[in-house]
Amino acid sequence: MVNLRPSRRAMMRAFAVIVGAAAVVVPATAALAAPTFKVPFPCGQVWSGQTRSDHSPANAIDFNRANDDGDPVVASASGTVDRVTDLGNTSYGKYVRIDHGGGYTTYYAHLSRFNVSVGQTVRYGQVIGYVGTTGGSTGPHLHYEQRSGGTAVKVKFNGTQALYWGTKNYTSDNGCPSGSANGTVNTSGTPLTVRSGPGTNYAPVDTVADGAAVTIACQTTGTTVDGTYGTSNIWDRIGSGRFIADAYVLTGYDGFIPGVPRC
């Protein structure tokens, strides 16, 4: 009689082939991309951010600016508030945590008070609390963290890694308006000087004719100028490295134009 039963060794080889084939077709789980985090302060504000290797955790940033006690802190990305906690005089003190999905969270610590509650959905630029010195803090500042899977990672703003290790100034574009506006130059006949920055101390780079229409991409403050429309320290950016004094531009507004971002 012919033995049709396969040997044990043959069966094991066949099983290995099947398992190997199955392993090939199982798709790997892709890592979710991090949100586009922004500086956790209102649009246009400049804050000094410090990183140091002996910080806890080391990848956190401490933010300061002059007279910052009580200044608003905003969500650095959209998400859901999942912790609003007061640890008293220890550790983070009063802090907020926001869950951004995909395992990413942000921490905002040493707050003086809260402006959100657990379960609340927040968006970019929304005030979540105020700078303070609660917990283990020795002076007013914001302790800020970005975490992935519960582990503090090196902070990024707009996809660019913050400075490690040291101190750097960061200008917030969090919650900034995204529109532009139109204006008309009025100098009573003479061309208006275009400068490389927002002030008369910047180098002249061009001129704009009286009566010319300009598109204002953003506005900022600089040298105070007496112009056709009074005295103003507002400057309008009309192109990359191209600024003109708003005191010579008819925009329909005496101050900053609503909906136009700050430079």
Side-chain angles (χ1 to χ4, degrees), residues 18-112:
I18 292 170
V19 171
V24 170
V25 298
V26 174
T29 301
L32 295 177
T36 300
F37 292 113
K38 294 182 178 293
V39 175
F41 299 103
C43 174
Q45 292 188 0
V46 180
W47 285 75
S48 174
Q50 181 191 70
T51 56
R52 58 187 189 276
S53 58
D54 63 348
H55 207 170
S56 180
N59 288 329
I61 295 184
D62 279 348
F63 280 105
N64 274 112
R65 71 172 187 170
N67 303 314
D68 56 7
D69 194 12
D71 282 357
V73 176
V74 306
S76 59
S78 299
T80 302
V81 176
D82 66 353
R83 281 191 194 173
V84 177
T85 304
D86 186 351
L87 298 178
N89 295 324
T90 62
S91 186
Y92 291 169
K94 293 180 179 178
Y95 78 97
V96 169
R97 186 175 77 177
I98 300 176
D99 182 354
H100 304 282
Y104 292 95
T105 54
T106 48
Y107 284 67
Y108 312 77
H110 305 312
L111 302 175
S112 61

Side-chain angles (χ1 to χ4, degrees), residues 115-158:
N115 197 53
V116 289
S117 55
V118 172
Q120 183 175 341
T121 299
V122 292
R123 63 186 183 278
Y124 282 106
Q126 184 169 339
V127 177
I128 61 169
Y130 300 87
V131 172
T133 185
T134 59
S137 171
T138 57
H141 72 283
L142 175 71
H143 172 101
Y144 173 80
E145 298 175 26
Q146 293 174 3
R147 294 195 180 195
S148 175
T151 301
V153 296
K154 287 188 174 179
V155 168
K156 291 183 178 180
F157 296 124
N158 294 319

